[in-house]
Amino acid sequence: RRTSFEWLAANLHVPGATVRLDAARAEAHAWRTAEFQVLYPALHAATRPPGMKPYVLLELGSARVVPFVPRALSSFVHDHLATTGLSAAYDDNRPHTVRCVHPLVTLLETLDALARKAPRADVEAATYVRHYEDAARIIGALGALPPLPEHGDVRTLAAEMTAQRQLARVPIAADPAFEPARLAHGSQIQRAYLAVSPMYWGPRLSLDDAGTAIRTWIREHLG
């Protein structure tokens, strides 16, 4: 595993950027996963909000990739070129059929991470606090997502992921992790939640609203 990641670090080239393997973190995870930092020339480094990484982070390793949803990907730059009629003057290098893991898988993994980390006062809240809004936003968009044809319903998917040790256990609504105010260090989680606000471009959900959305969804869909 180490040889594979080190080979990838030596051969992964991003134009105009430097790719760096975080060997210490990979070693800590027995080289089952690895993080690659893509360091790019930053034009606005001095005004970057606190908590925002100065690089693009690529996380590689063993992960569930089914069920998936095929999606075409774009960017702000490509969208701007299209609206200004300049697309023909540039190469269109957008991927059009990327297999993106189904958001319900991401939702279950995110809730599992919160259940494992949030109750622990020794885990820095900044490392997981964004999961609250991430989960609530997925829940808010579920009506527009495709079904799970190969996995039945979300209960079946959660049970399968638990059996395969991809989840520690199926999330439960009564877990205090999903209502941080019940935790002794809940105020720290609230401060960390507010601290990451500069990373968001639109209106945010409050931590209480995110928790309510999570607990309601778990009661309705996981029982």
Side-chain angles (χ1 to χ4, degrees):
R1 295 193 295 262
R2 176 173 185 167
T3 299
S4 297
F5 285 131
E6 290 179 339
W7 180 91
L8 187 59
N11 290 274
L12 182 60
H13 300 292
V14 179
T18 301
V19 179
R20 183 171 63 196
L21 169 65
D22 189 338
R25 288 184 63 84
E27 181 70 39
H29 291 89
W31 292 91
R32 290 185 174 86
T33 62
E35 296 182 357
F36 293 81
Q37 300 172 4
V38 182
L39 300 134
Y40 56 90
L43 298 179
H44 306 285
T47 58
R48 184 174 54 245
M52 183 175 290
K53 294 180 174 63
Y55 49 80
V56 175
L57 181 64
L58 304 179
E59 299 175 309
L60 283 74
S62 176
R64 187 184 184 94
V65 294
V66 291
F68 63 84
V69 180
R71 284 289 184 265
L73 302 187
S74 187
S75 70
F76 291 139
V77 173
H78 286 96
D79 294 346
H80 174 73
L81 293 175
T83 58
T84 54
L86 297 174
S87 295
Y90 296 87
D91 291 336
D92 186 353
N93 60 357
R94 290 173 292 182
H96 296 291
T97 54
V98 177
R99 292 185 175 187
C100 301
V101 66
H102 196 290
L104 277 172
V105 174
T106 302
L107 176 58
L108 291 171
E109 291 175 337
T110 299
L111 297 180
D112 183 65
L114 285 173
R116 288 184 289 103
K117 296 179 180 180
R120 295 179 51 184
D122 62 323
V123 177
E124 181 62 44
T127 64
Y128 63 79
V129 73
R130 63 181 176 80
H131 290 333
Y132 285 103
E133 186 157 1
D134 290 349
R137 294 293 185 182
I138 294 175
I139 291 168
L142 286 177
L145 296 177
L148 297 166
E150 298 179 2
H151 298 268
D153 58 18
V154 69
R155 286 189 179 91
T156 303
L157 176 62
E160 179 183 308
M161 293 177 67
T162 303
Q164 296 177 2
R165 298 185 179 182
Q166 294 163 349
L167 302 177
R169 62 182 174 89
V170 176
I172 58 174
D175 193 325
F178 307 132
E179 192 173 0
R182 293 172 53 193
L183 298 171
H185 56 287
S187 59
Q188 298 176 19
I189 297 176
Q190 177 66 44
R191 286 194 296 271
Y193 190 81
L194 296 175
V196 298
S197 293
M199 298 176 63
Y200 292 78
W201 293 323
R204 294 198 67 192
L205 296 175
S206 70
L207 183 57
D208 287 342
D209 286 346
T212 298
I214 290 170
R215 296 192 303 275
T216 300
W217 182 82
I218 293 175
R219 281 193 294 267
E220 293 178 352
H221 297 274
L222 296 178

